[in-house]
């Protein structure tokens, strides 16, 4: 799976394939297909579950979610990460406190789940970018682990 992901990131960076090209792609092991799911009709937010969570419950809008995450560019360069559970990133889901893609993505997760999300610019920082770290109109990759949520 790591080799396929690295190949995808390199090919995406050079514009040779798009996120949609991953639909139905399987790894070299027939037992572990790579399923990429569109979370938005336009495919602007896609998800690939890396580790299933516990149960079927999902956080609801307005609840405070707690996550660990890594943010990367398509070339694999990391621009930000929070990996310490005692200092997890928290926000109120669905209240516009984070980029739109995060509100969409995290709402689909179960407790303990780790998922890789690809967000096209219109669901991330759009044409403005984010300071000097994230250029305008940039597709971003986030690996998010949902630790839990509270009301």
């Amino acid at each position: 799976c790591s080799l396929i992901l690295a190949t995808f990131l390199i090919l995406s960076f050079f514009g040779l394939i798009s996120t949609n090209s991953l639909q139905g792609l399987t790894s070299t092991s027939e037992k572990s297909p790579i399923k990429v799911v569109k979370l938005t009709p336009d495919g602007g937010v896609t998800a690939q579950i890396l580790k299933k969570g516990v149960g079927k419950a999902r956080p609801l809008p307005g609840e405070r979610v707690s996550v660990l995450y890594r943010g990367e560019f398509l070339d694999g360069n990391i621009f930000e990460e929070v990996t310490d559970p005692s200092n997890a990133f928290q926000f109120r889901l669905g209240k516009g406190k984070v980029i739109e893609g995060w509100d969409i993505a995290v709402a689909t997760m179960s407790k303990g789940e780790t998922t890789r999300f690809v967000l096209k610019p219109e669901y991330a920082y759009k044409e403005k970018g984010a300071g000097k770290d994230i250029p305008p109109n940039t597709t971003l990759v986030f690996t998010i682990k949902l630790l839990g949520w509270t009301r």
Side-chain angles (χ1 to χ4, degrees):
C1 286
S2 297
L3 179 59
I4 291 171
L5 178 58
T7 302
F8 164 72
L9 291 174
I10 291 167
L11 292 174
S12 293
F13 179 71
F14 291 106
L16 299 175
I17 64 170
S18 69
T19 304
N20 291 339
S21 299
L22 286 179
Q23 295 292 338
L25 182 65
T26 58
S27 69
T28 54
S29 167
E30 290 300 319
K31 295 180 182 178
S32 57
I34 297 174
K35 293 183 183 176
V36 177
V37 178
K38 289 182 183 180
L39 298 184
T40 56
D42 63 0
V45 179
T46 61
Q48 177 186 16
I49 296 175
L50 304 177
K51 181 180 179 241
K52 290 185 179 185
V54 178
K56 295 186 181 206
R58 305 287 187 263
L60 299 173
E63 292 182 322
R64 179 176 296 282
V65 295
S66 180
V67 301
L68 302 178
Y69 71 93
R70 180 178 62 237
E72 301 174 64
F73 297 108
L74 287 175
D75 66 3
N77 284 323
I78 298 170
F79 60 83
E80 185 174 48
E81 63 185 334
V82 174
T83 58
D84 180 2
S86 66
N87 196 25
F89 180 66
Q90 298 183 357
F91 66 97
R92 293 256 175 222
L93 187 64
K95 298 297 181 183
K97 300 297 182 185
V98 292
I99 56 178
E100 183 181 5
W102 270 53
D103 274 335
I104 293 167
V106 174
T108 68
M109 299 178 75
S110 60
K111 184 177 181 178
E113 180 179 313
T114 301
T115 299
R116 179 182 178 270
F117 298 98
V118 177
L119 310 181
K120 291 193 177 172
E122 49 276 20
Y123 293 95
Y125 293 100
K126 306 179 184 195
E127 65 280 345
K128 292 183 179 181
K132 60 181 171 69
D133 295 329
I134 300 173
N137 298 310
T138 302
T139 297
L140 301 174
V141 178
F142 290 96
T143 302
I144 301 174
K145 178 176 184 176
L146 178 60
L147 300 176
W149 62 89
T150 59
R151 292 182 188 250

